Amino acid sequence: MYSNDGTGRDLAKRKLLKAGFGGLCALCLAGVGGRAIRTQASPAPRGLVRPRPGRWFREGAGGLVHCELCPWECVLESGETARCRVRSNQGGIGHTLAYGNPVLVQEDPVERLPFFHVLPSSRTLSVSTAGCNLACKFCEVWDMALVDPHEVHAYDMPPATVIDHATAAHLKSVSYAFGEPVVFYEYMFETAELARDAGLLNLLHTAGYIQPAPLKELAARIDAANVDLKGFDAAFYRDICGGELAPVLESLVSLKRAGVHLEITNILIPTLNDDIGSIRRMCAWIRDELGADVPLHFARFYPLYRLANLPQTPVSSLDRARETALEEGLRYVYVSRVTGHAGENTYCPNCAEIVIGRVGFIIDEVNLSGGRCSHCGEAIPGRWA
């Protein structure tokens, strides 16, 4: 279990506390198309937490609480907090510490999440809280996700307020992204219900580390999901991500079966998960278990956090990965985080013409009519309206 006694705090936490909320926003917004929302009130002082009884807890003997949300299945004594840092046992009742207190609230182009087959060039309201149930050594938001909610500044934004901001800004969707939405399940779930009532799409970017039952319940309220498939090797998941591969694969299959529009992101890390044989096996699994039309994003790794010693991904490695995926029969394969690369575009698998042209997060060409290629009429899967 994770303890709040202060032991084991690493350099990441010390840097976060020194940087404060402004440092976090700079990390999330710099040069990537995000735009912080305007609110009536400033972010709350550090430590905005309002414990709230949560779902997917089971009370046990002796005041124990069993968390049944994710594969860790944490068993908590009174006063103890789970691995994710935001689910706790308070007096024998399971509580969430991540309800209505997002540390990130901003407008983003949907392409940033990334969603390439969902409402091109539209903007979404992204929200995320502190906490994560994995511990990736290449985490890009470690100073937001791998900390306690008591240690960060947060907005006071219950679900209804999130929807008010999205509708006032004339956005088309709400996205649960950048941190790990699984750990703020209750907050996401209730926000998603209100979003649907307001005619907004619900977009989810997740590592997919969740139990089947809560995922099934959530999937009924999610319109599109991008799942990080971080690698295709169980040892890589254990050693580099702090979790197991099998539950992620199960989540991918469950989302596809539930009818959720699905995209996948794989960050290609030099020497760790860029073996072509492993990439080929991953692509074959996607084709056979999920379908050839599921978009796959190969994203460039940049050195940071605990893998700052590694180089950024060579473009040649991304090219080889994309070529391998196409050879395995995947029809929509992208190269992400290399602005101007031809792999940013969506090509019609029938006529090979550009359906959606992209330069970074900017859409400069759309040849799509009624969900079909304007050149030849081929149906292009996605959420286009």
Side-chain angles (χ1 to χ4, degrees):
M1 298 306 102
Y2 182 84
S3 172
N4 285 324
D5 63 3
T7 60
R9 291 181 180 174
D10 55 21
L11 177 62
K13 290 187 180 180
R14 293 195 294 273
K15 286 183 176 179
L16 171 66
L17 298 180
K18 182 177 179 181
F21 186 84
L24 172 63
C25 284
L27 171 68
C28 295
L29 298 176
V32 288
R35 183 171 64 197
I37 66 166
R38 297 190 178 198
T39 61
Q40 295 295 324
S42 300
R46 191 173 76 222
L48 173 63
V49 177
R50 297 193 181 98
R52 180 186 180 100
R55 309 180 67 189
W56 303 105
F57 287 108
R58 177 172 54 85
E59 296 175 12
L64 294 177
V65 167
H66 301 252
C67 182
E68 299 179 331
L69 178 61
C70 90
W72 290 118
E73 298 182 329
C74 294
V75 179
L76 308 173
E77 296 181 358
S78 183
E80 195 170 21
T81 303
R83 286 175 179 260
C84 64
R85 303 171 175 82
V86 298
R87 295 174 70 78
S88 71
N89 177 348
Q90 302 202 6
I93 299 175
H95 281 67
T96 173
L97 308 181
Y99 185 93
N101 57 340
V103 298
L104 179 146
V105 185
Q106 65 185 38
E107 294 179 25
D108 289 297
V110 293
E111 288 79 14
R112 182 188 176 202
L113 294 177
F115 283 105
F116 279 13
H117 289 235
V118 177
L119 303 178
S121 76
S122 70
R123 297 184 73 85
T124 184
L125 184 64
S126 302
V127 296
S128 186
T129 73
C132 185
N133 56 351
L134 292 177
C136 297
K137 294 180 179 179
F138 56 100
C139 182
E140 297 176 348
V141 289
W142 47 267
D143 51 358
M144 176 178 77
L146 301 183
V147 297
D148 299 336
H150 301 87
E151 296 179 321
V152 292
H153 293 261
Y155 290 100
D156 183 1
M157 291 191 71
T161 305
V162 174
I163 303 307
D164 287 345
H165 278 289
T167 55
H170 306 290
L171 305 178
K172 294 185 177 181
S173 62
V174 176
S175 59
Y176 315 96
F178 299 109
E180 177 46 64
V182 166
V183 303
F184 59 92
Y185 185 95
E186 295 84 355
Y187 183 40
M188 170 174 53
F189 188 89
E190 294 185 24
T191 304
E193 288 187 319
L194 295 179
R196 180 154 290 185
D197 291 342
L200 303 171
L201 294 187
N202 286 299
L203 311 182
L204 170 68
H205 191 141
T206 175
Y209 212 64
I210 184 172
Q211 293 281 48
L215 179 59
K216 181 179 179 180
E217 182 184 66
L218 178 65
R221 291 154 181 82
I222 296 298
D223 297 287
N226 189 312
V227 177
D228 288 327
L229 183 52
K230 300 171 187 290
F232 208 67
D233 178 79
F236 171 83
Y237 255 85
R238 292 189 199 103
D239 298 342
I240 305 299
C241 307
E244 297 291 334
L245 171 61
V248 181
L249 300 181
E250 186 174 1
S251 292
L252 284 162
V253 173
S254 296
L255 287 166
K256 183 65 176 179
R257 288 177 178 171
V260 176
H261 170 72
L262 182 62
E263 303 192 23
I264 295 172
T265 295
N266 175 247
I267 298 178
L268 214 58
I269 306 174
T271 73
L272 294 181
N273 68 349
D274 60 346
D275 173 72
I276 286 298
S278 179
I279 292 171
R280 189 175 297 279
R281 290 191 297 273
M282 178 181 72
C283 294
W285 183 89
I286 293 171
R287 179 198 64 214
D288 295 344
E289 299 297 330
L290 305 176
D293 283 344
V294 171
L296 172 61
H297 304 256
F298 287 110
R300 192 175 204 177
F301 164 82
Y302 288 92
L304 77 174
Y305 193 40
R306 298 189 181 280
L307 296 184
N309 60 310
L310 295 179
Q312 67 184 24
T313 314
V315 174
S316 59
S317 296
L318 296 163
D319 288 338
R320 284 196 299 271
R322 183 171 184 267
E323 291 166 4
T324 299
L326 293 170
E327 289 170 1
E328 289 300 319
L330 300 188
R331 290 153 63 92
Y332 303 98
V333 187
Y334 299 102
V335 169
S336 296
R337 303 177 184 171
V338 184
T339 302
H341 194 287
E344 292 183 312
N345 301 322
T346 298
Y347 297 91
C348 175
N350 181 54
C351 70
E353 295 290 337
I354 292 178
V355 176
I356 304 174
R358 301 179 183 85
V359 179
F361 303 139
I362 299 173
I363 303 297
D364 65 355
E365 183 178 357
V366 177
N367 300 302
L368 192 68
S369 178
R372 294 182 176 274
C373 171
S374 298
H375 301 288
C376 70
E378 176 80 3
I380 309 296
R383 292 299 306 260
W384 307 119

